[in-house]
Structures are given as C-alpha cells and as structure tokens.
C-alpha cells in the first residue's frame, strides 16, 4: 500500500472535524490499513475513547424496557409489577394474534352459519381463551420469568393473581370487542362472560392440586364435554345449549 492518510488528517478525523471528500477516503482506507488505525489510536484523545466505550457498555447492559412495560409504569404501576406483567407470555404478540384469529373465525362462523338464537360456536370458544391464557401464564415450561419468580421475595400467589388480572383484562376485552361484531344477537352474545369467569376460577382452584398443565386441561375438557352433552340433550335444533340458558348462567355465576 503506497498511500496513507496524512497525520494532520488523522488528527482532524479523531476530533471529528475532517470534511468530505478527505473523510471518505480516510474512512475507506482505515478499514483496510492497520498502520493508519494504529496512528489514529495514538492521536485520539484517550478520555473521549474511554467515555465512549463506557457509554456503549452501559447501553448494551441496560435492560430494554418494552412499550407495554413503559406504558404500565406511566400509568402508575410499580416498576417490578410492570416487568412481571410485561413478561407474561399471554401479552406477547404471538398469543394475542392467536386469540384474535380464534375470535375472528368464530365471529365469522356466527355470521355465516346462523343456527338458532345463539352464536353457539363463539359462545363455546370464547370462555376457553381466558382459561388458556391463565394456564399459559404460569409454570416452568412457558413462563420466561419462572425461575425469577420462584426465588423472588414475592408470594407466588400474588404473582398468579397479578398475571390472572392481566390475562382476564386482555382476554375479556378482546372477547368484548368480538361481541360487538355480533349485534344481531343482542345481549345473548355476552353469554360467554360468566362461563369464562367460572372456567378461569375453576382452573385456578384446581392448579395447586393438579398442577399448571393438568388443571386447565381438565377444566377445558369438562367444558367441551358439557357442551357435547348439552347439545345431545337440547330440545330442538333452535334451542340454546344448557350453559347459555338462564339456569346455566346462574350455575356459572355461582362457580
Ligand atoms: Zn494507511
């Protein structure tokens, strides 16, 4: 290599004062010339370099605050609670997309196949979403903060309640929006709400006994079984399934 960046140019380069086009040739040359990089390191102010490295180091180590987490903090939620909430698997985009897809499909089905006075498929699926959300929020397999939660000076029950409140808030909100897309059915389209709360409560109550996978699975299975039995027992094709009648809603409210 015959040409090298003149030393006065390197001084200017180090101060950030070298102007184009000399800057471009210096940039291009420095990537391929160790000798000029050596000279540049010698003429650079070590204090400026060190503070630069420190800033970069701090930036790389700093925990990244997500959009949701900063929003929660701004709304007055304590920092550690906001982090636990934001780490909930249910609040991730993939989960939300899955919930929205299920709701869109069942709302679409309610619009195209109108069987009776009730949007049966929608009412059958909607209560399962908050239950699945709670199940996915807790447990070593699915929770990225599980190990942190186990060793944190915080009661596991409190964490479960925080997560459950977050899941219910999101899932019930999305279900509610989907209900608005079914105005033809009126208030009947809200018959998922009490079963949703009943299933979530039953799943939570069984979790200490059966574990975070079996408890919600059994609860969901029982709901599906109940719907199948109710479908076999109903008076006619137009009659509502038992859980969506006044009596069924009462049972759900009691649970
Ligand atoms: Zn050079």
């Amino acid at each position: 290599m015959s040409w090298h960046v003149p030393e006065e140019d390197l001084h200017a380069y180090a101060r950030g004062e070298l102007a184009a086009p000399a800057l471009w040739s210096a940039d291009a040359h420095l990537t391929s010339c160790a000798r000029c990089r050596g000279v540049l390191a010698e003429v650079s102010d070590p204090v400026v370099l060190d503070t630069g490295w420190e800033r970069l180091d701090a930036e790389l180590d700093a925990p990244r605050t997500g959009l949701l987490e900063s929003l929660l903090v701004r709304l007055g939620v304590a920092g550690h609670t906001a982090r636990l909430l934001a780490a909930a698997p249910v609040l991730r985009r993939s989960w939300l997309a899955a919930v929205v897809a299920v709701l869109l499909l069942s709302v679409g089905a309610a619009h195209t196949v109108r069987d009776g006075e009730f949007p049966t498929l929608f009412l059958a699926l909607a209560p399962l979403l908050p239950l699945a959300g709670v199940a996915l929020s807790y447990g070593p397999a699915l929770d990225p903060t599980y190990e942190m939660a186990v060793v944190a000076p915080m009661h596991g029950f409190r964490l479960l309640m925080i997560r459950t409140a977050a899941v219910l808030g999101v899932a019930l909100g999305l279900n509610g929006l989907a209900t608005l897309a079914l105005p033809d059915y009126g208030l009947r389209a809200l018959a998922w709400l009490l079963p949703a709360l009943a299933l979530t409560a039953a799943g939570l109550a069984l979790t200490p006994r059966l574990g975070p996978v079996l408890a919600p699975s059994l609860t969901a299975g029982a709901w599906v079984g109940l719907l199948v039995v109710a479908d076999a027992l109903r008076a006619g094709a137009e009659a509502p399934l038992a859980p969506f009648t006044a009596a069924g809603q009462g049972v759900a409210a009691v649970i």
Side-chain angles (χ1 to χ4, degrees):
M1 215 175 282
S2 54
W3 182 84
H4 292 284
V5 183
E7 201 169 323
E8 60 267 33
D9 279 6
L10 284 176
H11 279 278
Y13 189 91
R15 289 192 303 270
E17 290 167 0
L18 190 63
L23 174 65
W24 302 333
S25 28
D27 264 337
H29 180 78
L30 280 165
T31 55
S32 59
C33 176
R35 197 182 113 183
C36 284
R37 282 202 299 274
V39 179
L40 178 65
E42 275 168 31
V43 301
S44 296
D45 186 352
V47 178
V48 174
L49 271 185
D50 284 350
T51 52
W53 279 115
E54 270 166 31
R55 276 210 310 278
L56 181 64
D57 202 31
E59 182 71 26
L60 289 173
D61 284 345
R64 227 159 266 267
T65 311
L67 197 64
L68 179 71
E69 194 178 332
S70 43
L71 182 71
L72 287 169
V73 169
R74 202 167 297 174
L75 289 174
V77 178
H80 60 281
T81 307
R83 172 140 301 175
L84 286 170
L85 277 176
V90 72
L91 297 177
R92 285 206 218 111
R93 223 169 290 163
S94 50
W95 164 257
L96 287 178
V99 168
V100 169
V102 168
L103 287 174
L104 282 179
L105 279 175
S106 52
V107 166
H111 275 296
T112 47
V113 192
R114 194 171 169 139
D115 72 319
E117 296 286 287
F118 284 79
T120 306
L121 180 66
F122 172 66
L123 293 179
L125 287 174
L128 292 173
L129 298 177
L131 174 70
V134 172
L136 289 173
S137 290
Y138 210 66
L142 300 155
D143 181 3
T145 62
Y146 180 77
E147 282 77 17
M148 264 160 56
V150 168
V151 298
M154 182 191 246
H155 203 293
F157 185 71
R158 184 175 133 74
L159 176 64
L160 185 64
M161 287 299 113
I162 291 174
R163 286 277 173 82
T164 304
V167 172
L168 280 180
V170 172
L172 297 185
L174 287 174
N175 280 0
L177 283 178
T179 306
L180 290 180
L182 296 168
D184 297 352
Y185 294 98
L187 278 178
R188 286 184 297 254
L190 265 180
W192 54 266
L193 180 59
L194 288 171
L197 293 173
L199 289 186
T200 308
L204 281 177
L206 291 175
T207 294
R209 230 165 242 283
L210 301 175
V213 177
L214 193 57
S217 308
L218 277 182
T219 311
W223 170 247
V224 173
L226 176 71
L227 291 176
V228 170
V229 171
D231 187 46
L233 291 181
R234 71 172 157 175
E238 294 290 294
L241 294 183
F244 309 130
T245 59
Q249 294 283 299
V251 172
V254 170
I255 292 175

